[in-house]
Amino acid sequence: MTVQGIDADINYRHRTDNFGRFTFGVSGTYYTRYDQNFGGEAFNTLNTSGYNSSFPQIQKRFRFQLGWALGDFSISGFLHYTGSYRNWSDETVEPLILDENNRPTGGGDLVKADARVDLTATYRLRFGGGASTRLFVNVKNLFDRDPPFYGGTLGRTYGINRYVSNPYGRTVTLGFSAGF
């Protein structure tokens, strides 16, 4: 297997005197090459999922963060983006295009890009003795978006590529954490 690409993790924090602290971040992976070899000549599987049982070879996956904190309160939003890719499983509607050596070179079903937003808000409670207690709310999939359709059973759920997408709708978690 030959894999090439760019992994990045960039974070920036800016403190102000009156408006708190602002945070921006981006992390992600952009593959430029993903060649597989199953005992013969290597072939390209870049931007596909489902041809083998390894991790998907999706070209673009990013996570963006925007946050703000003032005093004991903080809030952060996260945008998770997965680019479109091809379903190369054996359950596609559009057949794979194979070369003379039975290696795929194209075809397969197009799986649409996916963008999801998560939100986290935290309030820190201060007690004597150095104890750290936080109240928080986490909202996953804030806009309750369905994952893109994936025609197959990869990950054992028909219609969803569970190696890539979360099958659950909006999920809200309320809680607290305490340290002593």
Side-chain angles (χ1 to χ4, degrees), residues 4 7 14 28 41 51 76 88 91 111-112 118 139 156:
Q4 293 176 343
D7 285 323
H14 179 72
E41 189 176 325
Y51 184 74
S76 287
W88 275 12
E91 299 180 34
V111 179
K112 294 180 181 178
D118 296 341
V139 183
R156 298 190 182 102

Side-chain angles (χ1 to χ4, degrees), residues 153-164:
T153 57
L154 194 60
R156 298 190 182 102
T157 303
Y158 187 79
I160 298 170
N161 184 343
R162 292 187 60 145
Y163 293 116
V164 178

Side-chain angles (χ1 to χ4, degrees), residues 112-133:
K112 294 180 181 178
D114 190 21
R116 304 277 180 110
V117 175
D118 296 341
L119 188 68
T120 299
T122 304
Y123 185 76
R124 182 174 53 184
L125 302 171
R126 296 180 184 263
F127 297 108
S132 174
T133 303

Side-chain angles (χ1 to χ4, degrees), residues 37-174:
N37 185 333
F38 295 105
E41 189 176 325
F43 60 97
N44 182 11
T45 59
L46 180 62
N47 216 25
T48 67
S49 181
Y51 184 74
N52 58 41
S53 60
S54 69
F55 295 104
Q57 297 86 37
I58 298 169
Q59 188 169 34
K60 296 177 247 180
R61 295 181 86 176
F62 299 101
R63 180 178 187 244
F64 302 91
Q65 176 197 7
L66 184 60
W68 173 69
L70 181 63
D72 293 328
F73 177 77
S74 66
I75 188 166
S76 287
F78 302 90
L79 172 67
H80 304 270
Y81 175 79
T82 302
S84 63
Y85 59 97
R86 289 280 176 183
N87 174 358
W88 275 12
S89 72
D90 58 359
E91 299 180 34
T92 62
V93 173
E94 184 178 327
L96 295 180
I97 298 169
L98 304 175
D99 68 10
E100 63 278 357
N101 295 314
N102 209 29
R103 294 180 304 233
T105 60
D109 299 335
L110 178 65
V111 179
K112 294 180 181 178
D114 190 21
R116 304 277 180 110
V117 175
D118 296 341
L119 188 68
T120 299
T122 304
Y123 185 76
R124 182 174 53 184
L125 302 171
R126 296 180 184 263
F127 297 108
S132 174
T133 303
R134 288 182 166 86
L135 301 174
F136 63 87
V137 60
N138 291 327
V139 183
K140 299 275 189 189
N141 195 1
L142 180 67
F143 300 112
D144 199 24
R145 290 182 45 121
D146 291 333
F149 180 78
Y150 181 89
T153 57
L154 194 60
R156 298 190 182 102
T157 303
Y158 187 79
I160 298 170
N161 184 343
R162 292 187 60 145
Y163 293 116
V164 178
S165 301
N166 184 342
Y168 302 108
R170 180 183 308 118
T171 305
V172 178
T173 305
L174 301 171

